[in-house]
Amino acid sequence: MSEPSESPVPDAREPRGGRPDLRGLAREMVTLEWDPLPRLSRPRWLAWLPHVALGYAAVASCALTVSQLEDHYKVTGGLVVAMALLTGGSIVLGMFRPLAGWWLGLVTAAMVAWTIYGNVGQGQSWPWTPAGAFTFAPLILLVALRKPPRVTIGVVGLSILYSGLAETAFRPPHSATLLPGIALLFGFVGVLGYALRATRLARGKLVEQEFRTEEERARRTLLEERSRIARELHDVVAHHMSVISIQAQVAPHLVENPSEELKENLAGIRENALEALTELRRVLGVLRSEQADDPLAPQHPQPTLAELDGLVDNVRGAGLQVTTEIAGIRRPLTPGVELTAYRIVQEALSNCLRHAPGSRVEVGIAYGPRDLHLCVANTAPTRPAPPSPGAGHGLLGMRERAGMLGGELAAGPLPSGGYEVTAVLPMDPQDMPGGSASETTRDS
């Protein structure tokens, strides 16, 4: 089936029937572009095996050509060496310029046929020597491995056509024909190269698709984590905005004879708080539950570091040895910092349960003048970890939480075989610089 022409009106100078396709194929077959043979991707220590094998094939082709010409056809002299070098050189050239190597091999085969024409005896093959077809077959394979199928078909077709025309028009008397075997050999090599090329391209597309899938999974996990953070912040912010609104409404009744200016200011505060609360619920209210239209979805207060003891007790009940250490003056923090700190410790302990069974875990919390420091470190596991059903992006969520407050998070293995997660969160994240985080990923 021919490709459609770029112009909707066919050129009157060209008859219909696919001639543009043949011209395009002819241009492709004479394009001697640089196209090196790719290395093996796996195993890496055998990456250059195809090149080494073809190098040996080139040397063997030189030796076979000399042996065939001298022993079977009684041709001697410097011309034999020259044709042997051209035969091997065409394979070497084909590793880097496949079509150039094939053309050189075809010209060399014609030179060999012309050289032995007067020396062909009873039952001897022509235009190919007994080994000539096998030294030429790697050139077809090199083309099929790197060129589109139609180029491979053209190369195989021309190679067989050369053999057929030579035998039909110039075949020496009493010589044997190899045309059926030649057609079978060249056709098999072309199909083999096409199959290997299709397998390599499919594997490359699969690797690319897996990479894109992993990127999409990470992006989706990031969005899900941001949605969960938005739900939690919605609860916190909505609570405080409601309190502001109620306090602004009640404040005039707590003052004897309040002035009109005070009443107007408090009314403005309450009005702005109600407007902000309405906008907040309009934008983030849909994130309060997985089913946005479910009015019966329960709402729970968000956890804080005051509930850390209960979290640690649950982890101990699951079989881990957990110790906690708190430094500095323990004091209440802003709701966002409390929630983020709790979630980071919670996720880090969950990672210890999944990836370090039987290990000892130390949880450290330090209250500094301006920052809250968190550290969760575990020793090497004492038994193999079971397969984790998680998506492997827990650290991504912790990084998002820390970065949201302008903090930093780092995670990575310890020299002793354990793992450590550290975070620094600002006490008063009013002017967040955007946050930065670094981590060495461990699947969660």
Side-chain angles (χ1 to χ4, degrees):
M1 180 178 180
S2 62
E3 297 179 0
S5 174
E6 294 182 0
S7 174
V9 181
D11 193 340
R13 296 171 296 177
E14 293 185 354
R16 298 180 183 180
R19 289 181 60 184
D21 281 349
L22 293 178
R23 289 182 178 181
L25 177 60
R27 284 194 298 268
E28 289 186 58
M29 293 190 63
V30 297
T31 301
L32 310 180
E33 61 183 356
W34 179 268
D35 189 6
L37 183 69
R39 296 179 297 172
L40 289 178
S41 57
R42 294 179 183 178
R44 293 186 177 181
W45 62 279
L46 289 179
W48 295 101
L49 178 61
H51 302 75
V52 174
L54 287 170
Y56 278 109
V59 174
S61 297
C62 292
L64 283 173
T65 301
V66 172
S67 174
Q68 294 277 295
L69 294 181
E70 292 183 348
D71 297 341
H72 290 267
Y73 297 93
K74 308 305 178 182
V75 178
T76 59
L79 188 59
V80 173
V81 177
M83 286 186 291
L85 292 177
L86 286 175
T87 302
S90 62
I91 297 179
V92 175
L93 179 61
M95 287 192 290
F96 306 97
R97 299 180 186 270
L99 285 172
W102 175 78
W103 280 113
L104 178 60
L106 192 62
V107 171
T108 303
M111 292 173 58
V112 170
W114 175 76
T115 302
I116 67 176
Y117 183 81
N119 297 44
V120 178
Q122 180 70 30
Q124 288 186 316
S125 60
W126 190 89
W128 299 96
T129 64
F134 293 96
T135 60
F136 186 77
L139 299 174
I140 298 178
L141 180 63
L142 289 172
V143 172
L145 285 173
R146 284 168 287 172
K147 295 300 179 181
R150 64 176 185 173
V151 176
T152 301
I153 294 174
V155 165
V156 173
L158 280 180
S159 301
I160 298 175
L161 181 63
Y162 156 75
S163 304
L165 289 177
E167 287 197 13
T168 302
F170 307 103
R171 179 181 175 183
H174 311 297
S175 64
T177 178
L178 294 180
L179 186 58
I182 292 292
L184 182 62
L185 175 63
F186 291 173
F188 171 76
V189 172
V191 171
L192 176 63
Y194 167 76
L196 293 176
R197 177 178 181 270
T199 301
R200 176 170 56 86
L201 294 179
R203 187 182 295 113
K205 290 182 179 179
L206 179 61
V207 171
E208 181 182 359
Q209 185 62 35
E210 288 178 351
F211 178 75
R212 291 182 178 179
T213 301
E214 184 63 24
E215 279 190 335
E216 183 62 28
R217 185 183 296 115
R219 190 180 298 110
R220 185 171 61 250
T221 302
L222 177 61
L223 293 177
E224 291 174 355
E225 185 64 24
R226 287 180 175 178
S227 297
R228 189 164 68 130
I229 294 172
R231 287 196 299 269
E232 295 172 348
L233 289 180
H234 171 265
D235 293 339
V236 173
V237 176
H239 167 74
H240 287 285
M241 296 301 295
S242 299
V243 171
I244 292 173
S245 174
I246 295 173
Q247 289 177 337
Q249 183 179 9
V250 175
H253 302 284
L254 302 179
V255 180
E256 184 177 357
N257 299 324
S259 62
E260 292 299 325
E261 294 180 354
L262 178 60
K263 290 182 179 181
E264 291 179 2
N265 288 333
L266 291 174
I269 293 174
R270 181 173 184 272
E271 182 178 354
N272 289 329
L274 290 176
E275 290 181 0
L277 186 60
T278 301
E279 289 296 325
L280 179 65
R281 285 174 175 164
R282 181 179 302 156
V283 175
L284 300 178
V286 71
L287 300 175
R288 293 178 62 91
S289 67
E290 296 297 330
Q291 298 178 350
D293 298 331
D294 185 6
L296 300 179
Q299 304 300 324
H300 304 284
Q302 299 302 327
T304 64
L305 288 178
E307 303 175 34
L308 180 63
D309 294 338
L311 175 62
V312 171
D313 290 339
N314 289 336
V315 176
R316 287 172 180 159
L320 283 184
Q321 303 178 29
V322 185
T323 58
T324 59
E325 183 176 352
I326 299 177
I329 302 176
R330 190 169 184 172
R331 56 191 184 274
L333 308 174
T334 60
V337 176
E338 290 272 3
L339 176 61
T340 298
Y342 181 89
R343 292 302 190 199
I344 290 176
V345 174
Q346 182 184 43
E347 182 63 32
L349 291 176
S350 298
N351 283 351
C352 294
L353 282 173
R354 283 193 289 265
H355 300 286
S359 64
R360 295 190 306 274
V361 184
E362 296 180 357
V363 178
I365 301 177
Y367 290 82
R370 296 183 179 86
D371 299 317
L372 177 69
H373 297 260
L374 305 174
C375 179
V376 180
N378 63 272
T379 60
T382 59
R383 56 182 183 273
S388 175
H393 299 288
L395 290 176
L396 187 64
M398 288 192 281
R399 181 184 63 183
E400 283 298 308
R401 290 181 178 275
M404 177 189 64
L405 299 177
E408 297 180 353
L409 184 138
L414 297 174
S416 60
Y419 204 83
E420 182 180 57
V421 176
T422 60
V424 179
L425 305 178
M427 290 286 192
D428 188 15
Q430 293 180 354
D431 300 322
M432 295 182 296
S436 62
S438 62
E439 63 179 65
T440 303
T441 303
R442 176 179 70 174
D443 288 344
S444 64

